[in-house]
Amino acid sequence: MGDLLLVRHGETEWSVSGRHTSWTDLPLTSHGEEQAKSLVPLLSSRTWALVLTSPLERAVRTAELAGLGGAVAEPDLHEWDYGGYEGVTTVDIHRTRPDWDLWRDGVPPGPEGHPGESPATVGARADRVLARVDEALSGSTGDVVLVAHAHFLRVLTARRLGLPPAEGRLFQLATGTVSRLSTEHDRPVIAEWNVRA
């Protein structure tokens, strides 16, 4: 059975400033493009059973620049819907809600079509992606790669390891990195985390 590789998209203006970014479709910065290109040596020697990307530009562009041709957009790989906290930093939120924690409290509703998500809701999406990953891995000797967003991939990691969605809080994930989830004695494990070229 192959491995599951997680690629967090390269840097954007909002990832630098710490603004919560879900549906706002920002491009990569020039540094973010360089981060994505630098991933080629980490990914080029692998055989892919499946390459999935979030439909958002920052993830799609990262996949292209990292040499992941043939990527299929998967809507469930979309970042956590931050609802009313879209574009807002944690520092700003703490000015009015000093005890707020994304992993415990979720977010308030935002504009039409963006009700916000709880950890459980994001976890349900992650579980659907993992079912698709398992199907691809069971029928191939290749690996699967997902190109997506920090908070979503952190939740997905928690779910892969058998943890509740909110335990994604334990896995910090930097821009323009590759992480690898594998197995040991038939149990899921983190084999590598936040790897840069």
Side-chain angles (χ1 to χ4, degrees):
M1 184 172 181
D3 290 336
L4 172 57
L5 282 82
L6 310 177
V7 175
R8 182 180 176 196
H9 64 76
E11 174 190 276
T12 68
E13 285 184 23
W14 283 14
S15 67
V16 172
S17 64
R19 295 170 72 179
H20 289 89
T21 318
S22 53
W23 71 83
T24 304
D25 207 0
L26 298 175
L28 299 175
T29 62
S30 58
H31 178 65
E33 292 205 349
E34 292 305 313
Q35 286 179 316
K37 290 174 189 173
S38 75
L39 300 178
V40 171
L42 299 175
L43 301 170
S44 61
S45 64
R46 295 187 172 270
T47 301
W48 302 113
L50 183 64
V51 179
L52 297 177
T53 181
S54 159
L56 294 172
E57 176 185 351
R58 57 195 181 270
V60 171
R61 184 71 176 140
T62 296
E64 290 169 356
L65 294 172
L68 296 169
V72 176
E74 169 53 63
D76 276 335
L77 283 174
H78 196 283
E79 179 60 296
W80 191 314
D81 183 339
Y82 297 123
Y85 288 158
E86 179 77 2
V88 183
T89 67
T90 300
V91 170
D92 288 337
I93 296 165
H94 283 165
R95 287 191 176 105
T96 56
R97 293 182 68 187
D99 295 330
W100 176 78
D101 181 271
L102 174 68
W103 302 98
R104 180 189 63 229
D105 304 324
V107 296
E112 174 107 20
H114 298 288
E117 288 183 296
S118 67
T121 306
V122 180
R125 285 196 290 118
D127 288 347
R128 290 194 298 268
V129 171
L130 288 170
R132 189 168 178 188
V133 165
D134 286 339
E135 183 180 340
L137 289 174
S138 70
S140 172
T141 57
D143 299 318
V144 172
V145 63
L146 307 177
V147 184
H149 314 275
H151 281 130
F152 178 81
L153 291 174
R154 292 168 67 178
V155 170
L156 182 133
T157 298
R159 297 303 299 136
R160 186 60 158 188
L161 299 175
L163 302 171
E167 295 307 302
R169 67 187 171 78
L170 301 172
F171 309 108
Q172 187 273 341
L173 196 56
T175 57
T177 56
V178 176
S179 299
R180 183 168 59 92
L181 304 180
S182 190
T183 56
E184 182 180 65
H185 307 298
D186 296 321
R187 287 188 300 263
V189 296
I190 296 173
E192 297 178 280
W193 196 257
N194 267 338
V195 178
R196 288 196 165 107

PDB file of all heavy atoms in Angstrom, residues 56 67 85 89-90 93 98 122 158 162 176 188 195-196:
ATOM      1  N   LEU A  56      -9.381  25.767  -5.389  1.00  0.00           N
ATOM      2  CA  LEU A  56      -8.959  27.160  -5.287  1.00  0.00           C
ATOM      3  C   LEU A  56      -7.609  27.385  -5.967  1.00  0.00           C
ATOM      4  O   LEU A  56      -6.731  26.524  -5.958  1.00  0.00           O
ATOM      5  CB  LEU A  56      -8.899  27.580  -3.821  1.00  0.00           C
ATOM      6  CG  LEU A  56     -10.279  27.592  -3.143  1.00  0.00           C
ATOM      7  CD1 LEU A  56     -10.152  27.823  -1.653  1.00  0.00           C
ATOM      8  CD2 LEU A  56     -11.180  28.648  -3.778  1.00  0.00           C
ATOM      9  N   GLY A  67       4.867  20.243 -10.321  1.00  0.00           N
ATOM     10  CA  GLY A  67       5.003  19.169 -11.301  1.00  0.00           C
ATOM     11  C   GLY A  67       3.971  18.075 -11.184  1.00  0.00           C
ATOM     12  O   GLY A  67       4.181  16.968 -11.682  1.00  0.00           O
ATOM     13  N   TYR A  85     -15.454  35.052  10.016  1.00  0.00           N
ATOM     14  CA  TYR A  85     -14.060  35.364  10.313  1.00  0.00           C
ATOM     15  C   TYR A  85     -13.165  35.327   9.073  1.00  0.00           C
ATOM     16  O   TYR A  85     -11.934  35.407   9.189  1.00  0.00           O
ATOM     17  CB  TYR A  85     -13.514  34.424  11.387  1.00  0.00           C
ATOM     18  CG  TYR A  85     -14.060  34.711  12.770  1.00  0.00           C
ATOM     19  CD1 TYR A  85     -14.053  33.727  13.751  1.00  0.00           C
ATOM     20  CD2 TYR A  85     -14.602  35.953  13.110  1.00  0.00           C
ATOM     21  CE1 TYR A  85     -14.545  33.977  15.024  1.00  0.00           C
ATOM     22  CE2 TYR A  85     -15.107  36.211  14.367  1.00  0.00           C
ATOM     23  CZ  TYR A  85     -15.080  35.218  15.329  1.00  0.00           C
ATOM     24  OH  TYR A  85     -15.574  35.472  16.589  1.00  0.00           O
ATOM     25  N   THR A  89      -7.786  38.187  11.356  1.00  0.00           N
ATOM     26  CA  THR A  89      -6.711  37.475  12.043  1.00  0.00           C
ATOM     27  C   THR A  89      -7.184  37.011  13.423  1.00  0.00           C
ATOM     28  O   THR A  89      -8.123  37.568  13.989  1.00  0.00           O
ATOM     29  CB  THR A  89      -5.467  38.371  12.242  1.00  0.00           C
ATOM     30  OG1 THR A  89      -5.794  39.416  13.158  1.00  0.00           O
ATOM     31  CG2 THR A  89      -4.981  38.958  10.926  1.00  0.00           C
ATOM     32  N   THR A  90      -6.504  36.034  13.959  1.00  0.00           N
ATOM     33  CA  THR A  90      -6.802  35.565  15.317  1.00  0.00           C
ATOM     34  C   THR A  90      -6.593  36.689  16.328  1.00  0.00           C
ATOM     35  O   THR A  90      -7.372  36.832  17.274  1.00  0.00           O
ATOM     36  CB  THR A  90      -5.936  34.337  15.656  1.00  0.00           C
ATOM     37  OG1 THR A  90      -6.236  33.295  14.714  1.00  0.00           O
ATOM     38  CG2 THR A  90      -6.197  33.831  17.061  1.00  0.00           C
ATOM     39  N   ILE A  93      -9.675  38.784  16.303  1.00  0.00           N
ATOM     40  CA  ILE A  93     -10.797  38.076  16.932  1.00  0.00           C
ATOM     41  C   ILE A  93     -10.661  38.125  18.450  1.00  0.00           C
ATOM     42  O   ILE A  93     -11.639  38.355  19.171  1.00  0.00           O
ATOM     43  CB  ILE A  93     -10.871  36.615  16.434  1.00  0.00           C
ATOM     44  CG1 ILE A  93     -11.169  36.570  14.930  1.00  0.00           C
ATOM     45  CG2 ILE A  93     -11.926  35.828  17.214  1.00  0.00           C
ATOM     46  CD1 ILE A  93     -10.909  35.226  14.284  1.00  0.00           C
ATOM     47  N   PRO A  98     -11.591  37.072  23.708  1.00  0.00           N
ATOM     48  CA  PRO A  98     -10.233  36.690  24.129  1.00  0.00           C
ATOM     49  C   PRO A  98     -10.019  35.195  24.312  1.00  0.00           C
ATOM     50  O   PRO A  98      -8.898  34.716  24.189  1.00  0.00           O
ATOM     51  CB  PRO A  98     -10.025  37.434  25.442  1.00  0.00           C
ATOM     52  CG  PRO A  98     -11.278  38.144  25.750  1.00  0.00           C
ATOM     53  CD  PRO A  98     -12.229  37.996  24.610  1.00  0.00           C
ATOM     54  N   VAL A 122     -15.926  19.925   9.147  1.00  0.00           N
ATOM     55  CA  VAL A 122     -14.706  19.773   8.359  1.00  0.00           C
ATOM     56  C   VAL A 122     -14.242  18.314   8.413  1.00  0.00           C
ATOM     57  O   VAL A 122     -13.814  17.743   7.408  1.00  0.00           O
ATOM     58  CB  VAL A 122     -13.598  20.724   8.858  1.00  0.00           C
ATOM     59  CG1 VAL A 122     -12.324  20.552   8.032  1.00  0.00           C
ATOM     60  CG2 VAL A 122     -14.070  22.179   8.796  1.00  0.00           C
ATOM     61  N   ALA A 158      -5.653  14.380  11.513  1.00  0.00           N
ATOM     62  CA  ALA A 158      -6.246  13.850  12.748  1.00  0.00           C
ATOM     63  C   ALA A 158      -7.158  12.674  12.442  1.00  0.00           C
ATOM     64  O   ALA A 158      -7.087  11.626  13.106  1.00  0.00           O
ATOM     65  CB  ALA A 158      -7.013  14.958  13.472  1.00  0.00           C
ATOM     66  N   GLY A 162      -7.043   8.474  13.384  1.00  0.00           N
ATOM     67  CA  GLY A 162      -8.086   7.975  14.275  1.00  0.00           C
ATOM     68  C   GLY A 162      -8.452   8.922  15.395  1.00  0.00           C
ATOM     69  O   GLY A 162      -9.068   8.509  16.380  1.00  0.00           O
ATOM     70  N   GLY A 176       3.920  25.720   1.537  1.00  0.00           N
ATOM     71  CA  GLY A 176       4.915  25.167   0.629  1.00  0.00           C
ATOM     72  C   GLY A 176       5.678  23.991   1.189  1.00  0.00           C
ATOM     73  O   GLY A 176       6.894  23.872   0.988  1.00  0.00           O
ATOM     74  N   PRO A 188      -1.959   3.707  10.840  1.00  0.00           N
ATOM     75  CA  PRO A 188      -1.517   4.963  10.220  1.00  0.00           C
ATOM     76  C   PRO A 188      -0.552   5.712  11.135  1.00  0.00           C
ATOM     77  O   PRO A 188      -0.731   5.745  12.354  1.00  0.00           O
ATOM     78  CB  PRO A 188      -2.814   5.749  10.017  1.00  0.00           C
ATOM     79  CG  PRO A 188      -3.804   5.130  10.932  1.00  0.00           C
ATOM     80  CD  PRO A 188      -3.385   3.717  11.175  1.00  0.00           C
ATOM     81  N   VAL A 195       8.042  19.071   5.430  1.00  0.00           N
ATOM     82  CA  VAL A 195       9.314  18.932   4.724  1.00  0.00           C
ATOM     83  C   VAL A 195       9.399  19.977   3.612  1.00  0.00           C
ATOM     84  O   VAL A 195       8.461  20.158   2.831  1.00  0.00           O
ATOM     85  CB  VAL A 195       9.457  17.508   4.125  1.00  0.00           C
ATOM     86  CG1 VAL A 195      10.751  17.369   3.344  1.00  0.00           C
ATOM     87  CG2 VAL A 195       9.381  16.474   5.240  1.00  0.00           C
ATOM     88  N   ARG A 196      10.552  20.636   3.575  1.00  0.00           N
ATOM     89  CA  ARG A 196      10.848  21.583   2.505  1.00  0.00           C
ATOM     90  C   ARG A 196      12.032  21.040   1.718  1.00  0.00           C
ATOM     91  O   ARG A 196      12.847  20.283   2.240  1.00  0.00           O
ATOM     92  CB  ARG A 196      11.202  22.950   3.069  1.00  0.00           C
ATOM     93  CG  ARG A 196      10.011  23.683   3.642  1.00  0.00           C
ATOM     94  CD  ARG A 196      10.357  25.153   3.823  1.00  0.00           C
ATOM     95  NE  ARG A 196       9.132  25.920   4.027  1.00  0.00           N
ATOM     96  CZ  ARG A 196       8.768  26.430   5.187  1.00  0.00           C
ATOM     97  NH1 ARG A 196       9.513  26.240   6.254  1.00  0.00           N
ATOM     98  NH2 ARG A 196       7.674  27.135   5.281  1.00  0.00           N
TER      99      ARG A 196
END
